[in-house]
Amino acid sequence: MTTKRATQILPVHRLNEEGPGTKSLPEWWADERSRGTPEAAAVAKAAETLRTTDVPVAFPTETVYGLGADATRSDAVQGIYKAKQRPSDNPLIVHVDSMDMLQRILNPSEEKYHDAAASEQSLIPPIYQSLIEKFWPGPLTIILPNPPHSVLAKEVTSNLSTFGVRMPSSPFARLLIHVADRPLAAPSANASTKPSPTAAQHVYHDLNGRIDIILDGGPCGVGVESTVVDGLSNPPAILRPGGVGLEELRQCPGWENVVIGYHDGSLDVKEAPRAPGMKYRHYSPRAKVVLFEPGSNPDSVADRVHKDLQNSAVGAHNIGIVRTRNWGKYLGLNKGYEGSERTREEPETKKTLDLFKMPVEDSCSGSPKTILKEVYDYPLGSDVESIARGLFSALRTLDSIGVEIIYVEGIADDEGDLSAAVMNRLRKAAEAELKA
Ligand code: TXA
Ligand code: MG
């Protein structure tokens, strides 16, 4: 892209927090618009951009920020790939505001439905019924057959015979889709390979100058992407772990035997870093991420990190410690350096982090000298919801501070519904998963 665009951040927090209440989406919108609020102006402008241009719009959902485009127009969908600099061989998720909008995708020849309930039954495979009832609107994407003469642009499905669709629980996301009056194709609104954005500032950091509008609805509540399930296969499969967990799915009729249809290396923990060529770069900050298996002994981890800091060959001057359940502050590396604690503000998000400066003897150069290494502490909390919500933000914040290595305390995959999603994203971000 040659011309740099002036990217605007438009605040819409209030709409996201208030939601429609007892009103329908059209009533909510009519009411908001008649009051001429700045939020209404932002939604109208974003919807107009989505309908009439090929430049995507970033918007909040309950999972992560999405980069949305009219899913029915090829040029608009291509705009997503351009802005993200993402290869276009990966199909995108379609977002709808209502079952009615989904029906119009599934049955492009019919304009109106006299009996919406009946046609829902006939067009959506019955296996999905229990999931839709329980999890929609919400962080669950289902795979459906793409109908003949589909209205969806071929770039959305990457020419597959199926498409992924979800109805977000974020009221703001549904309002935007409603006002745009189009299904929106939307991947996460990060630059390709980077951690997904869970705040408007994250989107701005990656896509400033590449898009016109970022709608700022505040931080995302879930923090990891939707669970993608395929009920067209037998047995049904989870294609991506996310905001809805395995156990929750298994409680739904037809999904008792759902299988894990993704591979994230969880079964082959490596003692040594994975071969660089084999690493699937995704969710990766600039810093190297080193993930420790849950149950690793914190003292052994601290020894290992200490050695890395002393070893100039590793080259780390600043490191980040992202901890969850068992690691102490700074992994206890600050013992013996009382009074050395400082704070530092990350300029973009204004988040304040604790750090201490650790003197380390550098014996590599001819004349030994003491170097101060910076150790940043990033506690994610111990419940899985907080860990999921803060994970991507932690990686981004430490990156913007300029740490070279981020050590992360893993959690057990099976200890809560979101834990598989957390570990899946971490394994993809990490260069190594170690046991200590
Ligand atoms: O939470 C989310 O799902 C976020 C927010 C913005 O809604 N969106 C998101 O979209 O993560 P995207 O496009 O990055 O996710 C696409 C995922 C990929 O794992 C892709 O392989 C899968 O959905 N997918 C999409 N269509 C598919 C299809 N027809 N068959 C199999 N997998 C599909
Ligand atoms: Mg993504």
Side-chain angles (χ1 to χ4, degrees):
M1 209 175 280
T2 45
T3 45
K4 226 171 138 46
R5 321 187 75 94
T7 304
Q8 280 186 296
I9 300 186
L10 305 176
V12 294
H13 304 64
R14 182 180 57 77
L15 292 178
N16 221 9
E17 279 151 26
E18 288 175 5
T22 53
K23 295 181 205 117
S24 66
L25 285 178
E27 286 164 351
W28 185 28
W29 175 236
D31 188 42
E32 189 66 31
R33 198 171 43 166
S34 70
R35 290 195 287 132
T37 63
E39 288 87 353
V43 173
K45 184 170 176 177
E48 181 71 8
T49 303
L50 287 163
R51 270 196 305 267
T52 60
T53 79
D54 299 333
V55 183
V57 168
F59 65 101
T61 81
E62 71 278 19
T63 57
V64 300
Y65 274 71
L67 189 61
D70 179 349
T72 68
R73 289 193 295 120
S74 281
D75 288 346
V77 178
Q78 282 169 25
I80 295 177
Y81 293 111
K82 258 185 234 154
K84 276 186 73 114
Q85 299 187 295
R86 157 166 160 164
S88 57
D89 56 357
N90 208 358
L92 299 174
I93 292 171
V94 177
H95 297 67
V96 294
D97 66 350
S98 59
M99 291 308 287
D100 197 51
M101 185 179 267
L102 177 55
Q103 290 302 335
R104 274 179 275 144
I105 298 173
L106 290 172
N107 194 348
S109 58
E110 267 189 50
E111 290 282 298
K112 283 252 178 284
Y113 297 94
H114 302 295
D115 185 353
S119 59
E120 257 165 46
Q121 301 236 322
S122 58
L123 295 172
I124 300 173
I127 185 157
Y128 288 123
Q129 205 181 329
S130 60
L131 298 195
I132 289 174
E133 271 168 27
K134 186 151 182 210
F135 300 114
W136 273 14
L140 181 79
T141 296
I142 63 175
I143 304 296
L144 291 173
N146 199 20
H149 313 294
S150 174
V151 294
L152 298 175
K154 64 182 190 312
E155 290 81 0
V156 172
T157 58
S158 300
N159 287 318
L160 293 176
S161 59
T162 55
F163 70 104
V165 62
R166 83 178 188 100
M167 191 193 297
S169 62
S170 154
F172 179 80
R174 293 204 308 281
L175 180 66
L176 179 67
I177 301 165
H178 167 71
V179 178
D181 195 22
R182 303 283 187 280
L184 297 183
S188 49
N190 52 284
S192 192
T193 79
K194 292 294 167 202
S196 301
T198 52
Q201 290 84 356
H202 300 161
V203 182
Y204 188 81
H205 177 272
D206 284 13
L207 301 183
N208 178 25
R210 302 188 152 270
I211 58 177
D212 294 333
I213 299 174
I214 300 170
L215 295 157
D216 181 358
C220 300
V222 178
V224 290
E225 294 87 342
S226 61
T227 301
V228 180
V229 293
D230 182 0
L232 305 177
S233 60
N234 190 7
I238 301 179
L239 302 185
R240 178 178 74 179
V244 172
L246 181 66
E247 287 314 316
E248 288 176 285
L249 288 169
R250 287 209 166 129
Q251 284 161 18
C252 294
W255 293 82
E256 297 85 354
N257 300 319
V258 62
V259 295
I260 292 178
Y262 59 90
H263 179 73
D264 61 10
S266 49
L267 300 175
D268 42 48
V269 169
K270 298 284 192 297
E271 293 300 322
R274 291 175 194 162
M278 283 171 62
K279 186 170 141 44
Y280 170 39
R281 247 186 106 73
H282 208 147
Y283 307 113
S284 302
R286 202 175 45 227
K288 173 175 158 180
V289 175
V290 178
L291 171 64
F292 281 89
E293 251 200 280
S296 292
N297 179 328
D299 291 335
S300 312
V301 177
D303 281 350
R304 156 81 208 241
V305 172
H306 199 238
K307 281 197 195 99
D308 281 358
L309 280 165
Q310 280 173 318
N311 179 359
S312 292
V314 174
H317 289 293
N318 307 316
I319 63 163
I321 308 282
V322 175
R323 57 194 175 89
T324 56
R325 302 268 163 80
N326 299 312
W327 293 5
K329 191 165 190 184
Y330 306 117
L331 259 169
L333 288 164
N334 60 333
K335 264 184 231 132
Y337 304 108
E338 274 77 19
S340 62
E341 187 172 323
R342 318 265 162 88
T343 56
R344 172 164 161 176
E345 189 178 88
E346 197 278 305
E348 237 171 68
T349 57
K350 309 278 180 229
K351 177 162 174 79
T352 305
L353 287 189
D354 292 334
L355 80 144
F356 83 99
K357 296 195 179 183
M358 181 171 171
V360 169
E361 289 302 315
D362 178 16
S363 50
C364 280
S365 52
S367 50
K369 58 177 190 299
T370 303
I371 318 179
L372 287 175
K373 307 246 172 166
E374 294 182 4
V375 179
Y376 289 88
D377 185 69
Y378 203 116
L380 284 178
S382 57
D383 61 296
V384 72
E385 285 80 16
S386 323
I387 295 169
R389 200 179 304 123
L391 179 67
F392 288 135
S393 197
L395 300 179
R396 283 180 172 269
T397 299
L398 289 167
D399 226 13
S400 66
I401 274 170
V403 309
E404 286 132 289
I405 306 185
I406 303 174
Y407 298 93
V408 187
E409 179 185 1
I411 58 172
D413 282 274
D414 55 357
E415 63 180 60
D417 277 332
L418 276 171
S419 56
V422 166
M423 288 304 284
N424 171 267
R425 305 309 189 268
L426 280 171
R427 288 190 176 110
K428 291 192 170 181
E431 230 145 279
E433 183 176 358
L434 306 176
K435 187 171 175 56

